[in-house]
Amino acid sequence: MGYHMSLSIRLTINGLKREIALDDPRVTLLDLLRERLHLTGTKKGCDRGQCGACTVLVDGRRINSCLSLAASLDGAEITTIEGLADGEDLHPVQAAFIAHDGFQCGYCTPGQIMSAVGLISEGNAGDDPERIRELMSGNICRCGAYQGITEAVLEAQKDLAERNRRDAA
Amino acid sequence: MPLETTSPLPQHRRHGSSAGQPLTRRDGVLKVTGRATYAADNHPDGMLYAVTAVSSIARGRVTALDVEAAKAHPGVVEVLTPANRPPLAHDPDEKMPPFGFRVEVLQDDTVRYVNQPIAIVIAETPEAATEGAALLNPQYEVEPARTGRESGERFDPEVIGIGAPARTAHGDIEAGFAAAVRVTEADYVTPPQYHNAMEPHAVVAQWDGDRVTLDMPNQALALSCASHAAYFGIPAENVLIRSPFLGGGFGSKAILNGPQILAILAARMLDRPVKLALTRAQMYGPVGHRGRTWQKLRLGMDEEGRLTALHHQALCTTSSFDEFLEPAANASLPLYASPAILAEHEGLRLDVGTPGPMRAPGLASGSAALEVAMDEAAEACGMDPLDFRLANYAETEPTTGKPFSSKALRECYAEGAKRFGWSGRPHEPRTMRDESGFLVGWGMGTAVFHCPHFPAEARATLRADGTALVETAGADMGQGAWTALAQIAAEALGLDPDQVELNSGISSLPDGGIAGGSGHTASAGLALHNAGEDAIARLAELATTDPASPLFGAGNIGVVARAGRLHRRDDENRSESYAEILARAGRSDVVGTAKAARDPAVASAHAMYSHGAVFAEVKVDPDLGQIRVARLVGAFAAGRVINPRLVRSQYFGGMIWGASFALHEEAIADRRTGRIMNADLAEYHVPVNADVPSLDAILIPEDDPYVNPIGVKGVGEIGITGTVGAIANAVWHATGVRVRRFPVRVEDLIISREFA
Amino acid sequence: MNRFDYIRPASVPEAVEAAAVPGSTYLAAGTNLLDLMKGGAARPERVIDITRLPGLDRIEWLPDGSVRVGALVRNSDLAYDDRFARTFPAVAEALLSGASAQLRNAATVGGNLMQRTRCAYFHDLASACNRRAPGSGCDAREGENRLHAVLGWSEHCIATHPSDFCVPLVALDAVAEVAGAHGAREIPVDALHVLPGATPEQETALAPGELIVSLRIPAEAAAFARNARYLKLRERTSFAFAVVSVAAALEMEAGAIRKARIALGGIAAKPWRAREAEVSLEGAEANPEAFAKAAEMALAEARPSGDNAFKIELARRIVARALTLALDGTPEAMPALPASPFSTTPGANHAA
């Protein structure tokens, strides 16, 4: 028979292993990050998987943290916007978002960036802007920074590919 | 904050100035690393969570709430209802001057619209507060909801929008129609739309005695301090609002709302910090919306296609208990020359939350109808839509005869048309196909928006090390105030922007005015400009009166501030750095201050608008009727451009809003209950990335010596206007179907005879 | 969201046993269940987390050429599985046209089969809904219903099934493999979702506590690989539910149609298989007249349930279009805009 969990879970968040005592089984990953761990870079825009502002990487895959029960992710590795830069060195996606003005108010931006990082690692878009637009469509930007976002993803992807080539050489 | 620039840099518009450069956002690093702090990111010790329970009826009374069930939920601390809500110092059923609406803060058990707060639950965790609110299980005495044109109460409004007259007449409209050889007339409908900023309205309230600190996204800091102070019976200076970043506003974060007041009240009552963030669904009610309109346009033309009469009527919805009427018909006032123009508004009271200003209030809805009507009139005259607009180009403001402070609309038409390729447009509809067989259509519209100026204040401090601190309580909701305001201040101070620290976004600073009406950069910018000049003047005074300074005695000749030094105006080689001047004077700083407002004499002598022209190409599936905007080209003239990168982004955003208005957005209210059946982001459609394939914004140079001393007009809202009509007109050109109801839906094409 | 017991079983039998207690529900990724729980349309007392059940995350090719897909395989993993996408391209295209990349990365195959309607009256707790609260009535019937069902609806319920994935599955005779307290059984996906009739609360053929453990697509379905499409009309280019969608697959033989498969989405409480239309095409020449006739037959029984008569005409047109596209051939690569009319040419017969 199954067991009632102790409500204690382990997560690796931005490289840091954490033992987390959940106060309530209802806690979503998003509310765990924001309200318990005070990692507020991840944003709540709709809380229903409809806007993408809460996008984080779970075991390397981009997902909506608002529709993930924290308890269910026991053992997972989470990357949030706070874990992307290397100290003061921005991740190429972050730098490209600035260079291409891929945001205005900035509220959807952490989700856009995490989604872009996920998109690039999925490797399904190639350098086709239409595929990037389609695969970034889970992240709503009400300010309408889409053109800059698409350009930023293209450039960051190129940048990352070059880095990988350099590293491999 | 690090600053990055891109190259090649355009020529500086003013000598030695950083203004005009496409600097990247100074808040960019904070925003891409998640370190930009929005209101709901705050978490003071001991904080509680508040969640409102909202009505599911549009009209009636709450007869019962199961407060016991809510309180029995572990973690629930308190439930506020009309029965135990502490008093407020301002009657919420009285308007709060100057812009405040009546609000619903549990003053009684009546319900006036769906999603009105009817209780607020405060708990130790967000989960407990949310479920506590769900357990209240309200019972109602329901009255029939007035949801439509037939059931609502019609009235003649005294004013529309914010203080505009409901009727504006120029010339003799009947004589105008009598003189016409052709008259076109049609009805247009625009739907209710909701701002849906990505950041839900939120507040974290902390009381310390009779002082309160509010972390709250806010477009109007000083006004909001005064209004909140009035509600809580404390002096305005006891309210501190921190709003460094707004996750979008679009007009919905400029005006007080009930849920935030209730959360602040709960924090005082419980003597603990309280956080409230609306759910997405709860944003469809108490925080404003763009009201529905029914518009009628009647245009009379002479033999040459010149307007002889332009009659624009609008029936605009508001709530049952307050008034904000979309000034839609006024869209016909500033744009096209006609000997007779009549704009009239009628009100319709429905059981909805009070509408409010939403990005391009009045002009968005009015322009949508006007620009389609112009297209229809051009068609009736057998004229190209652009030629028709040029034939009716207004050289002076049509209803007043005032000269425009500047108007480079002709250049917008020309450059936009050139970039778009408009001259190749076939006149007849349904004549273009792409290589895949999709129907292709081209349409255009004229864009226009006002140039308001709000009183604002600023302070500029030149520091001993030669850098500066400039301060104004501005608001950056994405338009780029952190960057553009710093550029303006740096220009006035003769410094590079990276030597200028900007403090903003907190109400304790000098009043930065309102971030709305596309007037913030001009208003707060002018205050910063003047404060900077004041600081430089004071510094010059120190130098020119000091015999040890190379500038001694230059008081009458004057000095020029450039690159951190003051130079003698008549001898560039005689100069001294700010740091040297201050050091010798034994000063740690010199402080300049300024208040800025528009010169009333200049204002009354000129008509002031930003202008633009938008060209749209749509593709339409010939069988299925699905529409996609293939490209949008907008050319805009809005005075002096402080930062072309940010301005372009504002235009793009506005144009996407225009596409959204034309093809996507509509709140669907159940006609029986008034409940909004798509109060979310899944079925209330705003454009996603794939909806926006190609955007082009052309920045037309425009020098405006009158609009304000810095020559800046507004760019935040104009992009919507023109675009809606351009897209609708392109759909007509592609399909031959004239849709006069927004958004254009698939069935509007599928069931029409012309489409089949 | 109501309070609940969180239970994490270690095996399928444990899960089934745990779910035998009334008020239980299975949780996989949660992309649909948590949405329902946040809105209050679902208020389970026990949440049985099946994400750790072993062996349900595999794509397994069986000796006869059929494929078994574990219920916990993520939508995106299935859609981007090379062999799967090549063998069942319409299924992959449907998967990639659904929701968003983030949701597809999380959502599972089993969860997709079990997703609930998007009918706003089902989700709005203040509305009467026989599906959510049996016997309460159907407020959609006289309500805002331009996107509601035009086939298979009843006076008791006019909701539609929102899945894209299930549409080609029904067309291809896919089967759900189910575990329950009384052992294992198979249910064709076409029979999994049931029409509302007088009991709209009965949404599926599953008995209480039964768990979908895998999905099987038969080997015969691979015969359509070269001529299979999924086409979906939406109110924005991406990240929207279907107004109407269709899966169309042809098996061609010497220029004639040997077999045809047609299923529609967004028009009924279940993915709608158009069997008579399929039969009309078998042996027929593939041409616009034959497709138009099939489209006519597919919608022969359709009638508006409200302000949605346009959906009938739209469905006819999209069936004909999807058949045309299927005849043109499965694209070499997944279109940039999967299932969108704008992903591809509308067909030579539409050229001016």
Side-chain angles (χ1 to χ4, degrees):
Chain A
M1 190 52 220
Y3 57 95
H4 291 256
M5 65 171 295
S6 64
L7 291 183
S8 172
I9 61 169
R10 278 178 211 186
L11 295 174
T12 303
I13 301 175
N14 298 329
L16 195 69
K17 286 190 166 54
R18 308 179 78 139
E19 180 99 27
I20 295 158
L22 281 180
D23 53 296
D24 193 320
R26 292 174 292 186
V27 177
T28 61
L29 175 58
L30 176 59
D31 287 333
L32 174 70
L33 292 170
R34 288 184 53 80
E35 307 300 344
R36 272 78 177 180
L37 305 179
H38 301 185
L39 288 168
T40 54
T42 306
K43 298 297 185 240
K44 184 182 282 192
C46 72
D47 211 26
R48 307 291 282 268
Q50 301 167 355
C51 78
C54 68
T55 303
V56 298
L57 304 183
V58 172
D59 295 328
R61 300 159 66 98
R62 51 175 166 157
I63 58 123
N64 301 110
S65 60
C66 71
L67 291 184
S68 302
L69 220 47
S72 185
L73 296 175
D74 194 2
E77 201 167 301
I78 316 288
T79 309
T80 71
I81 190 71
E82 289 91 346
L84 209 54
D86 181 7
E88 289 304 304
D89 288 341
L90 296 181
H91 185 280
V93 173
Q94 294 173 311
F97 266 68
I98 294 176
H100 292 273
D101 214 31
F103 54 91
Q104 295 183 22
C105 81
Y107 195 79
C108 73
T109 311
Q112 298 275 2
I113 289 174
M114 296 314 292
S115 190
V117 171
L119 178 153
I120 292 168
S121 74
E122 287 157 16
N124 295 314
D127 56 2
D128 177 359
E130 187 87 311
R131 284 178 198 273
I132 286 168
R133 287 192 280 263
E134 161 67 24
L135 292 171
M136 287 299 292
S137 284
N139 293 84
I140 289 175
C141 170
R142 182 58 153 160
C143 297
Y146 293 128
Q147 188 144 304
I149 290 167
T150 303
E151 290 167 6
V153 176
L154 275 164
E155 180 183 302
Q157 183 171 258
K158 219 169 104 189
D159 194 17
L160 280 163
E162 266 162 34
R163 281 184 194 208
N164 289 341
R165 259 198 305 280
R166 270 204 308 275
D167 291 352
Chain B
M1 267 181 283
L3 267 178
E4 298 175 41
T5 55
T6 57
S7 55
L9 296 176
Q11 283 240 299
H12 294 174
R13 296 288 305 281
R14 293 191 180 186
H15 182 64
S17 166
S18 71
Q21 288 183 34
L23 302 188
T24 56
R25 290 172 194 267
R26 285 162 66 102
D27 47 350
V29 171
L30 290 178
K31 283 180 174 173
V32 302
T33 55
R35 301 205 306 266
T37 310
Y38 299 81
D41 298 344
N42 290 284
H43 202 291
D45 287 343
M47 189 181 79
L48 295 168
Y49 295 86
V51 172
T52 54
V54 298
S55 69
S56 60
I57 66 164
R59 185 180 173 209
R61 257 176 10 92
V62 178
T63 55
L65 289 166
D66 194 347
V67 173
E68 289 315 305
K71 282 192 162 171
H73 187 288
V76 170
V77 172
E78 186 56 273
V79 179
L80 287 190
T81 70
N84 66 340
R85 192 268 268 161
L88 289 164
H90 175 82
D91 179 354
D93 286 320
E94 291 296 325
K95 277 176 174 291
M96 172 75 72
F99 305 135
F101 294 136
R102 299 177 176 100
V103 295
E104 305 69 44
V105 282
L106 309 178
Q107 56 264 48
D108 53 40
D109 60 9
T110 60
V111 174
R112 313 194 275 202
Y113 60 91
V114 169
N115 286 338
Q116 175 189 317
I118 54 172
I120 185 164
V121 177
I122 302 97
E124 299 285 350
T125 67
E127 293 78 16
T130 302
E131 180 63 6
L135 290 169
L136 286 170
N137 190 27
Q139 305 299 307
Y140 303 98
E141 188 179 287
V142 186
E143 289 179 63
R146 294 162 296 190
T147 63
R149 201 173 174 176
E150 299 71 31
S151 53
E153 176 201 329
R154 295 220 192 184
F155 69 105
D156 286 320
E158 283 174 29
V159 295
I160 53 167
I162 297 174
R167 184 177 190 278
T168 301
H170 159 65
D172 182 339
I173 198 78
E174 285 317 317
F177 282 115
V181 297
R182 261 182 216 90
V183 174
T184 56
E185 180 179 326
D187 293 297
Y188 305 87
V189 183
T190 68
Q193 299 172 344
Y194 286 77
H195 303 73
N196 272 314
M198 293 313 296
E199 176 200 29
H201 296 69
V203 62
V204 175
Q206 302 179 66
W207 285 88
D208 178 8
D210 66 350
R211 309 183 76 85
V212 67
T213 300
L214 306 175
D215 292 299
M216 175 164 74
N218 198 291
Q219 294 177 237
L221 288 167
L223 264 180
S224 292
C225 283
S227 303
H228 280 105
Y231 272 107
F232 292 100
I234 56 177
E237 59 269 23
N238 284 17
V239 180
L240 179 70
I241 300 180
R242 298 188 292 208
S243 181
F245 302 103
L246 292 85
F250 313 115
S252 76
K253 291 172 181 167
I255 294 167
L256 268 63
N257 62 71
Q260 285 177 332
I261 294 170
L262 287 171
I264 300 165
L265 189 58
R268 179 149 80 170
M269 179 185 179
L270 299 169
D271 199 21
R272 284 176 70 178
V274 167
K275 166 151 82 179
L276 170 130
L278 294 187
T279 67
R280 182 57 54 180
Q282 289 172 348
M283 292 167 71
Y284 289 76
V287 291
H289 69 284
R290 198 195 301 282
R292 282 165 90 173
T293 71
W294 291 265
Q295 301 177 55
K296 183 188 285 297
L297 271 135
R298 195 165 171 234
L299 281 68
M301 283 79 64
D302 68 14
E303 208 57 77
E304 277 74 48
R306 286 187 305 248
L307 288 168
T308 61
L310 173 55
H311 187 189
H312 195 156
Q313 294 167 283
L315 174 64
C316 309
T317 55
T318 188
S319 66
S320 64
F321 56 94
D322 214 334
E323 295 82 33
F324 182 88
L325 292 142
E326 191 76 3
N330 286 0
S332 285
L333 300 179
L335 216 40
Y336 300 113
S338 173
I341 300 177
L342 178 58
E344 297 177 294
H345 297 81
E346 194 183 352
L348 178 71
R349 293 198 185 281
L350 300 179
D351 295 311
V352 297
T354 306
M358 176 164 154
R359 202 173 192 177
L363 280 163
S365 311
S367 160
L370 172 65
E371 292 302 320
V372 176
M374 287 294 286
D375 210 60
E376 299 194 53
E379 184 196 352
C381 295
M383 289 173 72
D384 174 85
L386 176 53
D387 292 341
F388 182 70
R389 284 167 176 84
L390 286 168
N392 290 290
Y393 195 87
E395 302 292 352
T396 56
E397 188 177 41
T399 57
T400 65
K402 285 184 197 176
F404 291 103
S405 61
S406 64
K407 181 179 178 181
L409 177 57
R410 251 186 241 288
E411 292 80 355
C412 296
Y413 285 138
E415 288 300 311
K418 195 169 129 199
R419 184 79 60 90
F420 185 84
W422 180 261
S423 64
R425 176 183 180 272
H427 185 69
E428 287 300 306
R430 214 183 161 92
T431 48
M432 294 199 292
R433 298 261 182 163
D434 73 0
E435 66 283 0
S436 301
F438 292 111
L439 298 167
V440 177
W442 290 357
M444 57 102 37
T446 309
V448 65
F449 203 76
H450 325 279
C451 303
H453 201 107
F454 306 108
E457 303 172 18
R459 184 163 56 226
T461 305
L462 282 167
R463 299 185 288 208
D465 62 356
T467 65
L469 170 69
V470 299
E471 300 170 289
T472 189
D476 195 330
M477 48 190 174
Q479 80 277 36
W482 281 113
T483 310
L485 293 182
Q487 285 178 268
I488 292 172
E491 176 185 69
L493 288 163
L495 289 170
D496 276 344
D498 60 3
Q499 294 171 295
V500 175
E501 184 185 343
L502 170 64
N503 269 357
S504 182
I506 182 164
S507 64
S508 51
L509 298 171
D511 178 6
I514 296 167
S518 298
H520 192 46
T521 306
S523 306
L526 181 60
L528 285 165
H529 170 87
N530 291 353
E533 292 202 327
D534 187 45
I536 291 295
R538 289 168 193 272
L539 187 72
E541 176 73 14
L542 289 180
T544 57
T545 57
D546 182 349
S549 170
L551 300 172
F552 178 67
N556 291 331
I557 297 152
V559 295
V560 177
R562 188 166 64 245
R565 303 180 73 84
L566 295 183
H567 300 255
R568 244 184 101 104
R569 194 179 290 281
D570 61 347
D571 182 357
E572 289 283 319
N573 293 324
R574 291 169 70 179
S575 71
E576 191 171 31
S577 77
Y578 302 170
E580 286 166 333
I581 298 168
L582 286 168
R584 210 177 36 251
R587 298 280 292 267
S588 61
D589 58 39
V590 57
V591 180
T593 58
K595 295 187 177 191
R598 178 170 277 156
D599 179 343
V602 176
S604 66
H606 295 88
M608 299 176 181
Y609 299 95
S610 298
H611 293 94
V614 181
F615 298 83
E617 175 177 303
V618 302
K619 297 197 174 186
V620 183
D621 187 297
D623 302 316
L624 307 180
Q626 191 164 331
I627 302 165
R628 196 176 188 211
V629 178
R631 58 193 179 104
L632 288 174
V633 175
F636 301 96
R640 176 165 174 244
V641 169
I642 298 300
N643 184 322
R645 178 193 303 271
L646 305 184
V647 165
R648 191 170 281 115
S649 287
Q650 285 294 289
Y651 291 148
F652 285 169
M655 288 157 77
I656 291 172
W657 273 57
S660 192
F661 193 125
L663 300 179
H664 302 294
E665 277 184 59
E666 176 175 19
I668 308 283
D670 183 285
R671 61 202 91 172
R672 301 158 298 180
T673 65
R675 272 201 297 285
I676 297 164
M677 304 314 292
N678 59 346
D680 58 26
L681 287 174
E683 272 93 2
Y684 182 97
H685 290 148
V686 299
V688 295
N689 200 319
D691 287 304
V692 183
S694 170
L695 294 174
D696 200 351
I698 304 166
L699 279 50
I700 302 292
E702 190 179 67
D703 281 322
D704 192 321
Y706 304 109
V707 66
N708 51 50
I710 54 175
V712 171
K713 293 180 174 177
V715 298
E717 301 170 81
I718 187 172
I720 307 172
T721 72
T723 304
V724 186
I727 292 171
N729 294 337
V731 170
W732 170 78
H733 190 239
T735 63
V737 182
R738 188 65 79 177
V739 182
R740 301 184 182 88
R741 174 207 178 282
F742 293 99
V744 179
R745 302 168 303 177
V746 61
E747 61 261 48
D748 296 324
L749 300 182
I750 288 289
I751 61 177
S752 89
R753 259 174 298 122
E754 295 93 330
F755 190 72
Chain C
M1 198 187 293
N2 61 292
R3 288 190 291 157
F4 55 82
D5 288 335
Y6 174 80
I7 296 158
R8 194 194 288 164
S11 68
V12 170
E14 276 189 21
V16 168
E17 192 184 332
V21 180
S24 300
T25 191
Y26 292 118
L27 168 76
T31 52
N32 190 218
L33 181 63
L34 287 192
D35 182 42
L36 290 160
M37 289 170 71
K38 287 180 178 190
R43 291 182 69 83
E45 288 158 33
R46 289 154 55 88
V47 170
I48 321 258
D49 182 349
I50 59 168
T51 53
R52 308 305 166 100
L53 299 184
L56 302 189
D57 58 353
R58 290 200 298 263
I59 301 171
E60 190 184 352
W61 294 90
L62 305 179
D64 70 346
S66 61
V67 67
R68 171 176 288 136
V69 181
L72 293 177
V73 171
R74 310 288 173 166
N75 283 196
S76 54
D77 288 339
L78 186 59
Y80 289 120
D81 181 276
D82 258 358
R83 182 169 173 191
F84 184 87
R86 268 187 287 111
T87 314
F88 308 110
V91 181
E93 189 168 17
L95 279 167
L96 292 178
S97 74
S100 67
Q102 290 97 311
L103 288 165
R104 295 191 293 269
N105 272 346
T108 63
V109 159
N112 196 311
L113 293 174
M114 292 303 292
Q115 71 179 299
R116 315 282 294 273
T117 182
R118 290 297 303 180
C119 172
Y121 296 91
F122 171 80
H123 288 269
D124 173 31
L125 303 186
S127 290
C129 172
N130 290 319
R131 188 170 283 256
R132 173 172 35 77
S136 62
C138 172
D139 273 346
R141 196 67 189 87
E142 303 294 329
E144 305 307 316
N145 50 24
R146 59 181 276 271
L147 299 177
H148 280 72
V150 294
L151 278 164
W153 54 272
S154 73
E155 291 302 322
H156 305 280
C157 181
I158 61 171
T160 62
H161 194 263
S163 171
D164 295 300
F165 180 44
C166 292
V167 177
L169 290 183
V170 161
L172 298 176
D173 287 332
V175 172
E177 300 179 329
V178 173
H182 305 291
R185 65 176 180 132
E186 295 187 348
I187 306 173
V189 177
D190 192 22
L192 179 66
H193 307 104
V194 299
L195 292 175
T199 55
E201 73 277 13
Q202 183 69 47
E203 294 177 42
T204 71
L206 293 175
E210 276 191 318
L211 173 68
I212 296 173
V213 292
S214 51
L215 173 77
R216 213 179 59 246
I217 306 181
E220 304 82 72
F224 299 98
R226 272 181 295 172
N227 296 90
R229 288 305 301 270
Y230 182 70
L231 188 60
K232 175 180 179 183
L233 191 123
R234 282 163 274 193
E235 296 194 307
R236 63 184 173 194
T237 306
S238 184
F239 203 11
F241 290 94
V243 177
V244 179
S245 70
V246 64
L250 300 171
E251 190 185 333
M252 302 299 298
E253 196 174 61
I257 299 166
R258 200 171 98 80
K259 280 188 181 159
R261 296 288 174 85
I262 302 167
L264 291 111
I267 58 161
K270 58 180 291 188
W272 191 269
R273 178 86 178 259
R275 290 179 195 275
E276 286 178 32
E278 292 173 5
V279 171
S280 81
L281 290 172
E282 285 175 15
E285 192 119 340
N287 59 35
E289 293 70 36
F291 293 162
K293 184 178 153 209
E296 204 57 50
M297 290 177 77
L299 277 301
E301 308 285 309
R303 62 199 166 99
S305 60
D307 298 328
N308 55 2
F310 78 96
K311 284 183 74 171
I312 299 172
E313 176 59 19
L314 187 59
R316 277 192 204 106
R317 295 184 188 192
I318 201 168
V319 166
R321 170 68 66 75
L323 286 165
T324 308
L325 293 176
L327 178 65
D328 288 350
T330 305
E332 285 294 309
M334 181 61 63
L337 302 173
S340 167
F342 293 107
S343 73
T344 183
T345 66
N349 54 329
H350 301 289

